[in-house]
């Protein structure tokens, strides 16, 4: 079989489901590429970009942490946050980053800092993916 099935899930719902020839993921152990027949694996997904290749071409998804399960030519991706990279709006993302930074600086008691930090993290991931910024090599 030259393809495998993938499903990308986030709290927003199913972002993508279909057959692929390859997919690349940012993981805690480094970048991995999955091809048909890949060994079974469960690994931690980190902030970055998922790149998938299917008959329609290449698609990119910005993700913020989660898990990947590969089993019997089926890949399940469960992400804390995910969005298709080409749908991101640079100005909207920059506005969200600025708002989150402003609210964090004010540190008002009625503001839930964990929500602000989560929104800031999502916006940074989207912005980096949308602008094609690569992670620093250590």
């Amino acid at each position: 079989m030259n393809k495998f099935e993938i499903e990308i899930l986030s709290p927003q719902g199913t972002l993508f489901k279909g057959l692929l020839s390859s997919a690349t993921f940012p993981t805690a152990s480094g970048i991995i590429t999955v091809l048909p027949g890949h060994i079974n694996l469960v690994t931690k997904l980190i902030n970055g970009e998922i790149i998938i290749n299917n008959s329609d071409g290449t698609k990119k998804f910005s993700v913020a942490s989660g898990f990947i399960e590969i089993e019997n030519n089926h890949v399940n991706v469960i992400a804390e946050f995910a969005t298709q990279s080409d749908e991101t709006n640079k100005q909207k993302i920059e506005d969200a980053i600025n708002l989150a930074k402003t609210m964090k600086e004010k540190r008002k008691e009625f503001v839930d800092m964990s929500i602000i930090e989560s929104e800031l993290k999502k916006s940074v991931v989207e912005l980096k993916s949308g602008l094609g910024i690569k992670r620093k090599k250590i």
Side-chain angles (χ1 to χ4, degrees), residues 6 8 15 22-27 30-34 45-52 58-65 68 77 79 81-88 93 122 124-135:
I6 188 171
I8 302 173
L15 190 61
S22 72
T24 302
F25 302 97
T27 73
I31 303 295
I32 65 167
T33 298
V34 176
L45 182 68
I46 61 170
N47 298 349
E49 194 170 58
I50 295 174
I51 302 169
I52 63 171
T58 300
K59 292 183 183 178
K60 296 179 180 183
F61 300 90
S62 300
V63 294
S65 69
I68 304 166
V77 178
F81 169 79
T83 186
Q84 192 163 349
S85 294
D86 59 3
E87 293 175 3
T88 57
I93 296 164
K122 290 176 192 177
V124 168
V125 169
E126 281 184 329
L127 184 59
K128 284 181 180 177
S129 294
L131 298 176
I133 298 171
K134 304 290 184 196
R135 288 181 6 159

Side-chain angles (χ1 to χ4, degrees), residues 6-106:
I6 188 171
E7 188 168 9
I8 302 173
L9 302 167
S10 74
Q12 295 82 20
T14 300
L15 190 61
F16 181 85
K17 185 174 183 177
L19 293 174
L20 302 181
S21 54
S22 72
T24 302
F25 302 97
T27 73
S29 302
I31 303 295
I32 65 167
T33 298
V34 176
L35 299 170
H38 196 283
I39 63 168
N40 294 345
L41 174 71
V42 175
T43 189
K44 184 175 176 17
L45 182 68
I46 61 170
N47 298 349
E49 194 170 58
I50 295 174
I51 302 169
I52 63 171
N53 297 301
N54 63 11
S55 57
D56 297 334
T58 300
K59 292 183 183 178
K60 296 179 180 183
F61 300 90
S62 300
V63 294
S65 69
F67 292 92
I68 304 166
E69 175 191 46
I70 305 167
E71 185 175 20
N72 300 327
N73 252 6
H74 186 85
V75 177
N76 290 312
V77 178
I78 301 169
E80 178 182 314
F81 169 79
T83 186
Q84 192 163 349
S85 294
D86 59 3
E87 293 175 3
T88 57
N89 178 325
K90 181 181 174 185
Q91 187 60 46
K92 183 178 174 185
I93 296 164
E94 288 175 348
D95 290 346
I97 290 171
N98 291 334
L99 177 62
K101 285 180 180 177
T102 301
M103 292 179 77
K104 188 174 182 179
E105 287 169 6
K106 289 182 181 179

